[in-house]
Amino acid sequence: MTEPTTQDEAHGGALGERLNWLRAAVLGANDGIVSTAGLVVGVAGATDDRDALLTAGLAGLLAGSMSMAAGEYVSVSTQRDSEKAALAQEKRELRERPEAELEELTDLLERRGLSRDVASEAAVQLTERDALRAHARVELGIDPDRLTNPWHAAWASFLAFTAGALLPLLAMVLPPSDWRLPVTVLSVLTALTLTGWSSARLGAAAPTRAVLRNAAGGALAMGVTYVAGSLLDVAGA
């Protein structure tokens, strides 16, 4: 009988986790780019004062990064609590009805393509080795040694959003006033092309559609906020 080894499971889980983190980082950076670009371009439609642009951009960066971090912390904390509760329930069931749990594990392995005899033998061996870990992985899809960490998720979201937000902010405040808008638009569209391509590659999707969708969304956001800022300037607001 050949069964998946712990090393194989660890490698597969580690790869999946790395891809999830990379995808989250790309999406966080993308959010930082689009939201901050929309903000500073909107302000640029109303004024060309560098201090006003810098203040608005920094406020948007800090507010957005803190919001992303807090939201991710709450979300992942809830997920971690759910994982702990599921593991506690499974541990209780293993203690109270071990025979039923062994039969359940056998059925789960059989559904994955093993014959009944092989599934029964595998279930017995996995149970003798570590019953809770076997049920956690096969039944719940949870690795007890690698529970989600809300602090890691919060910091990752904070840093990804900040990295993305810095691009339009610096592109708006560093060049001379006549070049600020075109430099910002070009930089943002280039960055969105890169993040769109990266997210598509990580998700094994066609990159062309993702790039066009990402760039079009960013261009629309900047266009709408710039028109709004220009109208406020004309109205004397």
Side-chain angles (χ1 to χ4, degrees):
M1 179 191 67
T2 301
E3 63 180 76
T5 65
T6 301
Q7 186 177 14
D8 292 336
E9 292 174 349
H11 286 170
L15 177 59
E17 185 176 355
R18 283 197 298 270
L19 289 175
N20 286 336
W21 280 109
L22 285 171
R23 189 177 294 110
V26 169
L27 295 176
N30 193 81
D31 287 343
I33 294 168
V34 174
S35 61
T36 306
L39 179 61
V40 295
V41 168
V43 175
T47 179
D48 61 355
D49 182 73
R50 189 188 301 269
D51 291 339
L53 293 168
L54 179 61
T55 300
L58 283 176
L61 184 154
L62 291 173
S65 60
M66 293 300 294
S67 175
M68 287 284 290
E72 196 70 13
Y73 179 84
V74 171
S75 175
V76 175
S77 293
T78 302
Q79 179 183 345
R80 185 182 178 91
D81 291 342
S82 298
E83 291 173 345
K84 286 183 174 180
L87 288 173
Q89 180 178 350
E90 195 64 38
K91 186 175 182 179
R92 183 170 58 254
E93 290 175 351
L94 285 167
R95 183 177 62 252
E96 295 175 352
R97 46 174 198 155
E99 294 82 4
E101 288 298 300
L102 179 61
E103 182 67 19
E104 181 181 33
L105 183 58
T106 300
D107 291 340
L108 290 170
L109 292 173
E110 187 178 10
R111 291 175 198 165
R112 294 191 174 192
L114 299 180
S115 67
R116 185 67 184 183
D117 291 340
V118 173
S120 178
E121 181 184 349
V124 170
Q125 291 187 17
L126 290 171
T127 299
E128 290 175 349
R129 183 182 303 174
D130 192 324
L132 179 60
R133 180 172 282 103
H135 280 267
R137 290 178 174 174
V138 177
E139 180 180 349
L140 304 176
I142 298 174
D143 186 343
D145 299 323
R146 303 174 70 90
L147 296 181
T148 52
N149 189 315
W151 285 109
H152 289 172
W155 276 110
S157 294
F158 178 88
L159 294 174
F161 187 97
T162 299
L166 280 173
L167 174 69
L169 174 59
L170 295 178
M172 182 60 75
V173 300
L174 292 182
S177 58
D178 292 342
W179 287 91
R180 287 174 188 164
L181 191 59
V183 167
T184 300
V185 171
L186 180 61
S187 300
V188 167
L189 293 180
T190 301
L192 291 177
T193 297
L194 179 60
T195 56
W197 180 86
S198 300
S199 62
R201 295 294 295 176
L202 289 171
T208 302
R209 182 177 298 178
V211 167
L212 292 176
R213 183 170 55 233
N214 215 32
L220 179 62
M222 289 187 290
V224 169
T225 56
Y226 183 79
V227 169
S230 298
L231 292 175
L232 289 173
D233 182 43
V234 171

